[in-house]
Amino acid sequence: MQLGMIGLGRMGANMVRRLMGDGHTCVVHDTQPEQVAALAAEGATGAPSLQALVDSLEAPRDIWIMVPAGHVDGLLATLADLMDPGDLLIDGGNSHYQEAIRRSGALSKRGLHYMDVGTSGGVWGLERGYCLMVGGDSEDFSRLEPVFSTLAPGSEAAPAIAARKQRGGSAEEGYLHCGPHGAGHFVKMIHNGIEYGAMAAYAEGLQVLAGANVGKDVSSGADAPAHLTHPEHYRYDFDLADITEVWRRGSVIGSWLLDLTAEALARDPALSGFSEQVKDSGEGRWTVQAAVDEGVPAHVLTAALYERFGSRGNADFANRVLSAMRFGFGGHSEKND
């Protein structure tokens, strides 16, 4: 198939490479001309402008955009003026699912088709493939299946489940039509919310292991922390690189996230090259809001989101308030603890 791709960052460029590797033809555009030139050198058709990209595609046109959520509306408005009824626009970024519903309605009034495709795979997608969660009309999904099939990891990416033998379907290939407009981004939103929670669980568990030597210095004459009644129980120096490595083999908590963690610890056991601040890109907040709207208790996902807020110093004033109250009612000076 022929596909236009706008946004050639960490994911978009490799998606184009994966598509071209399977025989698809791609017309590409980015605000960075060097990104366009690099892919043009590999066989894509480079477009210096949005008009040039539209003009290079055969009708009905299929254009996939991989840009930050804040740039989607402006880009769609520009493209809508350049495209013809029957053309299809695909948002593969992390937009809010409610925006997908709104955008599909606005574009439909102009005769344009729209799909929201939650895309997971990160910088490893070229090699591993991309998990695709698709929202939109079933007819559009069917027409774009050759593209989805190429981008997806394929059935060999995970062991087959015997109970699914009678179900079939594309989920086993790594792509799924999740429902009407907005469904793809809704499923991706929850996917990323779960990701926050899983990452926090690994991080907190490893922090407990890292602190398991808190009682070690007591034997050399140092005072034990006030809260530690049995310092002799905490005199372990665990090798976290080895622990995460052994967990990768046969453990029920094995995962790709654990693989990545083990690799990072093997390279730098203290993780000194990484910041203590962890950003959130929006999906965690949207997940928690959806849980509130549905009346669903999402304790872990909410705590994981708040943990990221705290990592960026957003709790510093609250912590000073706590310290002030402790001093006020009990004379506790945190500097002396």
Side-chain angles (χ1 to χ4, degrees):
M1 288 187 67
Q2 185 188 51
L3 185 76
M5 178 68 75
I6 300 173
L8 306 176
R10 289 174 295 178
M11 291 181 69
N14 279 341
M15 292 169 69
V16 170
R17 293 186 175 99
R18 189 170 174 93
L19 287 166
M20 292 193 301
D22 198 34
H24 299 276
T25 59
C26 296
V27 182
V28 299
H29 174 73
D30 193 274
T31 55
Q32 303 296 319
E34 61 272 19
Q35 301 280 52
V36 177
L39 281 173
E42 297 178 36
T45 299
S49 66
L50 294 177
Q51 181 69 68
L53 180 136
V54 172
D55 291 343
S56 298
L57 293 169
E58 300 174 1
R61 303 172 182 87
D62 301 311
I63 298 178
W64 191 307
I65 63 175
M66 291 293 292
V67 300
H71 296 276
V72 173
D73 275 331
L75 180 56
L76 290 179
T78 300
L79 288 169
D81 288 336
L82 302 176
M83 299 173 72
D84 298 319
D87 290 348
L88 170 65
L89 285 160
I90 306 140
D91 180 7
N94 285 323
S95 293
H96 196 293
Y97 79 96
Q98 294 175 11
E99 293 298 297
I101 297 172
R102 176 182 61 80
R103 290 165 182 157
S104 66
L107 291 169
S108 177
K109 293 176 181 178
R110 305 187 63 168
L112 297 171
H113 297 238
Y114 172 88
M115 301 190 80
D116 49 287
V117 181
T119 307
S120 180
V123 297
W124 294 95
L126 175 60
E127 175 185 337
R128 292 170 55 96
Y130 300 88
C131 176
L132 304 172
M133 296 145 270
V134 184
D137 294 337
S138 57
E139 296 81 2
D140 291 331
F141 172 79
S142 296
R143 190 165 66 82
L144 264 289
E145 270 206 82
V147 167
F148 300 143
S149 179
T150 292
L151 291 173
S155 59
E156 66 277 4
I161 296 175
R164 286 195 57 90
K165 190 173 182 180
Q166 303 303 320
R167 292 179 64 93
S170 65
E172 295 176 25
E173 301 296 325
Y175 66 96
L176 178 67
H177 182 222
C178 299
H181 297 106
H185 281 159
F186 192 104
V187 174
K188 179 58 162 46
M189 174 182 75
I190 303 304
H191 166 284
N192 284 24
I194 292 171
E195 179 184 293
Y196 280 33
M199 292 171 71
Y202 281 125
E204 291 175 9
L206 290 169
Q207 181 71 70
V208 174
L209 286 171
N213 61 358
V214 66
K216 193 172 182 181
D217 292 337
V218 176
S219 59
S220 61
D223 292 333
H227 61 275
L228 192 63
T229 56
H230 291 285
E232 69 275 13
H233 293 171
Y234 296 95
R235 294 175 179 171
Y236 301 109
D237 289 314
F238 289 120
D239 187 321
L240 302 187
D242 280 351
I243 289 173
T244 51
E245 186 64 26
V246 76
W247 281 350
R248 294 178 62 215
R249 291 166 169 79
S251 166
V252 297
I253 62 169
S255 72
W256 188 35
L257 284 174
L258 181 61
D259 294 345
L260 297 173
T261 304
E263 182 177 356
L265 288 167
R267 289 195 306 263
D268 178 8
L271 300 180
S272 56
F274 295 91
S275 170
E276 296 176 4
Q277 298 185 12
V278 185
K279 295 181 179 179
D280 69 286
S281 55
E283 301 88 351
R285 303 183 189 210
W286 303 339
T287 296
V288 171
Q289 183 59 58
V292 171
D293 290 345
E294 297 174 11
V296 172
H299 310 290
V300 172
L301 307 188
T302 303
L305 174 65
Y306 288 172
E307 187 170 320
R308 294 195 180 198
F309 294 168
S311 79
R312 304 198 295 270
N314 294 348
D316 288 356
F317 183 74
N319 290 333
R320 289 196 294 273
V321 171
L322 291 172
S323 182
M325 288 189 287
R326 290 189 78 232
F327 180 78
F329 67 70
H332 305 287
S333 175
E334 307 296 344
K335 295 180 180 180
N336 296 329
D337 280 1

